[in-house]
């Protein structure tokens, strides 16, 4: 069964460093999303991506964040100058036009 | 943006009991999904249900789109049902697309 794949599963980074989180969406899907979940809290929308451009972004998704679809399969989230409060689980999701499917998440720890 | 309210926030049950979880949303939507977040943090798709009723084993869901609410029913609960249940809704329009999550219902089932 097709699934959304995220790498790495866990990343530890020094405060101030840049990280790139990677996602391989389901192959024929058209919509791509990134979400963040701080431990014990709700799943927060960051950004959606459609037709090779950002479709919508939340107020969380500021200049510190960027997304790219560098080739036909990968979808990345870059976080620049990481802060302690960026520590969270980051989920990627994709959909055709209906049901969205989520990856297993990348746990980012900023120290 | 769309507001999503889930109730109750916490639910404690004995094994074998039935329960109903509610999701209210503030605007018409194109997509509504129910997810179960397991103890490992994975978001498991339960239902894609923008309208109507669906059943899958001991779980069923009903969405009344005209009244902007959805219900998730869990019958004969088991300890493995424990975790957080999220409702998420999506509205697609010229402004973009975003799947927005409620804060979740934390279910604890004891034997």
């Amino acid at each position: 069964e097709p699934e959304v794949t995220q790498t790495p599963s866990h990343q530890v980074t020094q405060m101030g460093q840049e990280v790139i989180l990677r996602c391989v969406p389901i192959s024929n899907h058209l919509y791509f999303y990134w979400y963040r979940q701080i431990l014990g809290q709700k799943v927060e929308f960051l950004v959606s991506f459609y037709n090779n451009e950002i479709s919508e972004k939340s107020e969380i998704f500021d200049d510190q964040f960027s997304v790219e679809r560098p080739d036909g399969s990968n979808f990345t989230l870059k976080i620049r100058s990481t802060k302690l409060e960026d520590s969270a689980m980051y989920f990627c999701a994709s959909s055709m036009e209906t049901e969205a499917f989520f990856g297993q998440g990348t746990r980012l720890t900023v120290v | 943006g769309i507001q999503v309210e889930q109730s109750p926030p916490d639910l404690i049950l004995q094994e074998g009991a039935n329960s109903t979880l509610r999701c209210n949303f503030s605007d018409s939507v194109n997509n509504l999904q129910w997810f179960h977040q397991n103890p490992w943090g994975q978001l498991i798709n339960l239902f894609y249900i923008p309208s109507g009723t669906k059943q899958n084993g001991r779980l069923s869901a009903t969405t009344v789109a005209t009244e902007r609410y959805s219900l998730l029913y869990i019958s004969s609960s088991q300890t493995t049902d424990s975790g957080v249940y999220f409702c998420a809704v999506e509205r697609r329009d010229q402004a973009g697309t975003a799947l927005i999550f409620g804060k979740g219902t934390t279910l604890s089932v004891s034997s």
Side-chain angles (χ1 to χ4, degrees), chain B residues 24 35 48-49 51 100 108:
Chain B
N24 293 331
F35 296 90
Y48 167 75
I49 189 165
S51 63
I100 303 300
S108 300

Side-chain angles (χ1 to χ4, degrees), chain A residues 31 33 35 37 41-45 47-50 55-57 89 91 93 95-104 107, chain B residues 4 30-31 33 35 37 40-43 45-48 86 90-104:
Chain A
Y31 296 86
Y33 311 81
Y35 290 82
Q37 186 179 32
Q41 298 187 22
K42 69 183 285 188
V43 180
E44 300 175 292
F45 169 74
V47 66
S48 59
F49 195 84
Y50 171 71
S55 174
E56 190 162 348
K57 58 184 180 179
M89 181 77 92
F91 291 102
S95 73
M96 179 60 104
E97 280 196 355
T98 55
E99 187 174 7
F101 294 87
F102 282 72
Q104 81 281 17
R107 181 164 297 285
Chain B
V4 185
N30 302 103
N31 175 11
Q33 293 183 239
F35 296 90
Q37 188 165 42
W40 296 272
Q42 289 180 296
L43 288 166
N45 288 43
L46 296 178
F47 293 102
Y48 167 75
F86 289 106
E90 182 174 34
R91 180 182 176 86
R92 289 200 181 130
D93 54 27
Q94 290 180 337
T97 181
L99 185 65
I100 303 300
F101 282 70
K103 291 184 178 180

Side-chain angles (χ1 to χ4, degrees), chain B residues 13-97:
Chain B
L13 299 175
Q14 286 284 336
E15 204 167 24
N18 302 327
S19 60
T20 301
L21 283 58
R22 187 176 180 103
C23 172
N24 293 331
F25 45 97
S26 61
D27 205 346
S28 58
V29 297
N30 302 103
N31 175 11
L32 188 146
Q33 293 183 239
W34 284 96
F35 296 90
H36 176 216
Q37 188 165 42
N38 65 20
W40 296 272
Q42 289 180 296
L43 288 166
I44 309 299
N45 288 43
L46 296 178
F47 293 102
Y48 167 75
I49 189 165
S51 63
T53 297
K54 290 186 178 179
Q55 180 154 8
N56 184 3
R58 295 182 296 103
L59 273 60
S60 64
T62 295
T63 297
V64 183
T66 53
E67 297 188 22
R68 298 179 185 166
Y69 73 88
S70 183
L71 302 173
L72 177 69
Y73 305 97
I74 304 173
S75 64
S76 303
S77 56
Q78 300 175 358
T79 55
T80 51
D81 294 332
S82 296
V84 185
Y85 289 81
F86 289 106
C87 168
V89 303
E90 182 174 34
R91 180 182 176 86
R92 289 200 181 130
D93 54 27
Q94 290 180 337
T97 181

Side-chain angles (χ1 to χ4, degrees), chain A residues 58-101:
Chain A
S58 72
E59 57 190 25
I60 302 170
F61 193 87
D62 59 19
D63 291 343
Q64 187 191 4
F65 296 90
S66 62
V67 290
E68 269 192 343
R69 192 137 195 261
D71 54 42
S73 60
N74 292 285
F75 181 50
T76 62
L77 174 70
K78 182 187 291 185
I79 309 174
R80 290 177 280 273
S81 301
T82 50
K83 301 173 280 194
L84 295 176
E85 53 264 40
D86 294 325
S87 295
M89 181 77 92
Y90 289 82
F91 291 102
C92 170
S94 72
S95 73
M96 179 60 104
E97 280 196 355
T98 55
E99 187 174 7
F101 294 87

Side-chain angles (χ1 to χ4, degrees), chain B residues 1-17:
Chain B
I2 292 179
Q3 304 299 312
V4 185
E5 298 289 335
Q6 289 188 245
S7 59
D10 300 284
L11 190 55
I12 300 173
L13 299 175
Q14 286 284 336
E15 204 167 24

